[in-house]
Amino acid sequence: MSKHNFHTLLSRYRSGECTEREKHLVEQWFSMLDENISERSKEENEQLEEKLWKAIQERKELARVKPSRFTSGWKWAVAAVIIMTAAGWAVYLTLPGTEQAIGAETAMLPHSTSVSPMEKVSTGIGSKTVILPDGSEIRLSPYSSVAYSSSFDGDKREVLLAGKAFFKVVANPGKPFFVYSGEIVTRVLGTSFWIDGSNPARSIEVSVVTGKVTVSKRSEADFVPAGPVKGGVILTANQKVKFSGKSDLFELGLVEEPVPLLPEESEMPAEESFIFEDTPIAEVIEKLENAYGIEIILENDALKGCLFRGDITRQPLFNKLDLLCSAGNATYEIRGTRVLVSGEGCPAAGFHTGPQKEPVN
Amino acid sequence: MALIPGNVDEETFEAIYREYWLRLYDFALAKVHDPDVAEEIVQDLFVNLWEKRKGLRVTNLSGYLFVAVRNRIIDHYKQRLFSDLETVDAVTAPDYPLFLDELENEVKQAMGRLPDKTREIFMLNRLEGKSVGEISEKLNLPKRTVEYHITQGLRQLKTFLRSVSTFLPLFLASIII
């Protein structure tokens, strides 16, 4: 995917760890970015000069700069996932949010038992890491805002989000964690009951990296979930949901690039290998299902016995499936959160319904 | 022009701002095409300069400032890409080398279209932030000639990229509106 590659290139350039060739490429690309800019009057320039100077002076005064613990978003995200298995859940939330959205809603949030003042954090061109009072972390993408009670002293933890953010939530079943964004509310599961509400909205996406969350619509008048799950969906790792206010539908799917789940007991991701030596496809599929936590259905039994050989350890899941399908004259499609593999089976396997294994002595 | 003490006081800081803000702002604006982002970049740059003032040793102030603004512009594109990505994946994709080849090919073809002189002047202006005056002095050419090369360079690149490039929609989207 060229966006990913482009991001890699720019990251390498900025870290100073790139080759001369990469450096040259970035610099040439950079030289071609220019657009003509519109003329400004002398007055406009003077105004701008003073506006910027004032802003710089203000920021100089309160330059209490918190150094970021991680230098790049990528590193952070990975670290989050690793720590998360032990500590809680991760959610990736996306919505076309705005400053105003959160501004208008902030006033509504301290509805529960909390009387603490609201904290609000917004980003401009940069990302920010926000540490919540309970130790949970939010990686706030550019042009996004969050608001939350400064003490989290109610019986639940509530955060308002406009924009895009990556959440790493510390588990605390006694104090469920909610994220309100646009028309939906996402609850990090500890216990499970829920209520929904309805409002016309733009589409909002929630993707889960690790753990389990519920996503439902927000009620009109209230933030508090007070009944059983209604119209909400449960998401586990590698699944995402898109909510469109217009159609009022939750559309379940898989994230674009599923990642293998982390083993529960370990904090480090085990580099699981996917090397197969004439292995029946059914076994390969089973291994993939377990590794990614995604259900893969073989439509036709004839496929089960097709043999697969190859090292697909480093391929993304969907490339793995492409390779697998080509070995079994099959195709796959994503149906909701499941993958359906269909095809007539491979000629070599013929009528064999069972796996072809060498005799074991 | 080319001096900055190891320790910048308020007065020097303001003088640097007054002298450079406009060129830095216009440079950023031309690259990011968004006044708000350009403003934020310039603010960031100066706040950062102030915070680092004690340990700063810079022999070429203009060069330092333009490298700093360039880095921030690249960071802006990087972050925009990052927020566009849907998945969290730290691994360099297997097709990264191929991507580099293709990008290089595109850039080379585009740049290769430019006459040597135009390319040299274009790069000095667009990459290093050198003003027309500076380039004219450096290369001993009339200002009008320098201006001509810059406009020509930009026009030719755009025409070429519009007509030929099929790859890297993002690369193009950042150039052509």
Side-chain angles (χ1 to χ4, degrees):
Chain A
M1 183 188 166
S2 67
K3 274 184 186 171
H4 184 181
N5 283 328
F6 213 92
H7 185 268
T8 307
L9 176 62
L10 296 184
S11 302
R12 283 172 58 85
Y13 178 84
R14 288 292 286 117
S15 71
E17 287 168 6
C18 66
T19 62
E20 272 302 304
R21 181 184 176 218
E22 287 169 314
K23 183 166 174 264
H24 200 59
L25 272 173
V26 171
E27 289 177 349
Q28 291 201 316
W29 162 76
F30 184 84
S31 74
M32 290 187 242
L33 286 172
D34 295 58
E35 279 296 325
N36 290 331
I37 53 181
S38 46
E39 292 277 322
R40 296 183 306 266
S41 68
K42 200 162 168 260
E43 288 72 34
E44 282 175 309
N45 268 341
E46 277 164 8
Q47 273 177 15
L48 191 55
E49 180 172 354
E50 290 320 306
K51 178 184 163 197
L52 285 176
W53 178 243
K54 233 182 106 189
I56 291 166
Q57 291 301 101
E58 274 168 22
R59 285 176 55 186
K60 259 172 67 193
E61 303 309 316
L62 38 98
R64 289 173 285 116
V65 180
K66 224 199 283 171
S68 162
R69 275 197 288 149
F70 301 98
T71 46
S72 93
W74 292 115
K75 282 183 198 148
W76 192 91
V78 170
V81 173
I82 292 168
I83 302 160
M84 199 113 29
T85 321
W89 298 274
V91 189
Y92 206 73
L93 277 170
T94 317
L95 82 159
T98 59
E99 268 285 313
Q100 300 93 295
I102 205 154
E105 287 185 294
T106 309
M108 296 159 63
L109 186 60
H111 140 286
S112 53
T113 51
S114 172
V115 288
S116 307
M118 296 298 292
E119 294 281 333
K120 190 182 158 202
V121 182
S122 300
T123 52
I125 54 166
S127 304
K128 262 184 207 166
T129 301
V130 182
I131 314 279
L132 298 174
D134 66 337
S136 296
E137 290 183 30
I138 302 174
R139 175 75 175 175
L140 204 53
S141 292
Y143 307 111
S144 302
S145 309
V146 283
Y148 53 94
S149 147
S150 60
S151 65
F152 264 14
D153 54 4
D155 53 0
K156 47 192 165 303
R157 297 169 286 172
E158 293 173 307
V159 173
L160 271 174
L161 168 73
K164 182 171 175 178
F166 179 80
F167 287 80
K168 196 187 84 182
V169 177
V170 173
N172 181 355
K175 249 187 176 186
F177 193 99
F178 300 94
V179 182
Y180 303 98
S181 40
E183 306 311 315
I184 63 160
V185 55
T186 302
R187 174 185 188 161
V188 178
L189 281 185
T191 54
S192 53
F193 48 89
W194 206 234
I195 198 166
D196 69 17
S198 55
N199 262 326
R202 300 155 294 186
S203 87
I204 303 172
E205 257 183 51
V206 179
S207 316
V208 175
V209 179
T210 64
K212 195 191 266 186
V213 305
T214 61
V215 180
S216 18
K217 283 191 289 176
R218 244 162 96 165
S219 80
E220 268 168 36
D222 210 326
F223 283 103
V224 193
V229 176
K230 209 167 90 190
V233 293
I234 297 174
L235 291 182
T236 55
N238 288 326
Q239 297 183 343
K240 70 171 181 186
V241 67
K242 198 172 181 176
F243 174 76
S244 152
K246 265 184 202 151
S247 60
D248 214 25
L249 282 177
F250 287 102
E251 191 185 319
L252 276 165
L254 294 174
V255 298
E256 219 163 274
E257 272 186 40
V259 291
L261 310 178
L262 303 175
E264 292 280 341
E265 63 279 6
S266 124
E267 294 201 1
M268 292 299 291
E271 173 83 350
E272 196 169 359
S273 67
F274 293 90
I275 304 169
F276 301 99
E277 297 267 351
D278 292 340
T279 310
I281 280 187
E283 277 181 37
V284 180
I285 295 278
E286 196 186 326
K287 182 156 186 191
L288 292 177
E289 281 188 304
N290 291 334
Y292 288 88
I294 292 172
E295 195 179 343
I296 304 170
I297 299 158
L298 276 176
E299 194 190 49
N300 189 337
D301 276 354
L303 284 167
K304 286 187 179 167
C306 295
L307 300 182
F308 180 75
R309 172 197 286 260
D311 179 358
I312 48 174
T313 307
R314 305 196 68 83
Q315 319 282 338
L317 175 64
F318 295 126
N319 290 15
K320 285 183 168 81
L321 286 169
D322 282 335
L323 291 166
L324 205 56
C325 284
S326 66
N329 280 332
T331 54
Y332 74 86
E333 61 181 296
I334 298 160
R335 296 231 181 127
T337 57
R338 298 190 286 195
V339 178
L340 182 71
V341 180
S342 47
E344 289 171 14
C346 41
F351 294 105
H352 294 281
T353 49
Q356 294 179 320
K357 272 188 183 163
E358 287 186 22
V360 184
N361 296 317
Chain B
M1 188 60 187
L3 84 148
I4 188 167
N7 203 338
V8 182
D9 59 17
E10 289 275 358
E11 219 171 289
T12 321
F13 180 70
E14 180 160 359
I16 296 171
Y17 171 79
R18 301 285 173 200
E19 181 171 350
Y20 285 102
W21 83 272
L22 182 60
R23 284 171 56 198
L24 293 169
Y25 174 80
D26 279 346
F27 187 77
L29 182 59
K31 301 284 185 191
V32 300
H33 325 138
D34 179 339
D36 292 341
V37 177
E39 283 178 27
E40 186 132 0
I41 285 174
V42 173
Q43 281 180 35
D44 262 0
L45 195 156
F46 279 100
V47 173
N48 187 262
L49 181 69
W50 177 253
E51 281 162 3
K52 290 205 301 207
R53 67 193 179 279
K54 294 217 167 92
L56 211 56
R57 298 229 161 258
V58 177
T59 46
N60 176 357
L61 179 58
S62 168
Y64 171 85
L65 291 174
F66 277 96
V67 169
V69 79
R70 179 166 92 204
N71 286 342
R72 281 182 164 70
I73 293 163
I74 291 175
D75 284 343
H76 163 71
Y77 279 101
K78 217 181 92 184
Q79 276 157 357
R80 220 168 71 177
L81 284 167
F82 180 71
S83 52
D84 273 0
L85 293 172
E86 290 204 343
T87 51
V88 182
D89 181 6
V91 188
T92 301
D95 63 345
Y96 183 67
L98 186 69
F99 161 83
L100 287 183
D101 289 345
E102 289 181 56
L103 179 62
E104 186 172 63
N105 194 25
E106 295 258 328
V107 170
K108 206 184 262 172
Q109 278 196 54
M111 283 293 189
R113 286 291 177 106
L114 302 181
D116 290 350
K117 197 91 222 158
T118 306
R119 185 165 56 241
E120 183 187 359
I121 292 168
F122 181 79
M123 292 290 281
L124 282 172
N125 177 252
R126 301 292 148 147
L127 179 63
E128 296 177 26
K130 295 244 185 305
S131 69
V132 172
E134 284 170 303
I135 299 172
S136 129
E137 229 169 82
K138 186 182 155 117
L139 300 180
N140 201 14
L141 287 170
K143 280 189 180 181
R144 267 179 44 210
T145 312
V146 173
E147 272 164 7
Y148 170 81
H149 281 294
I150 294 171
T151 0
Q152 276 305 305
L154 197 58
R155 181 178 306 156
Q156 285 184 31
L157 280 175
K158 280 189 183 174
T159 319
F160 174 77
L161 289 168
R162 252 196 208 110
S163 62
V164 166
S165 190
T166 50
F167 177 59
L168 280 181
L170 170 107
F171 174 68
L172 289 170
S174 59
I175 304 167
I176 296 162
I177 289 175

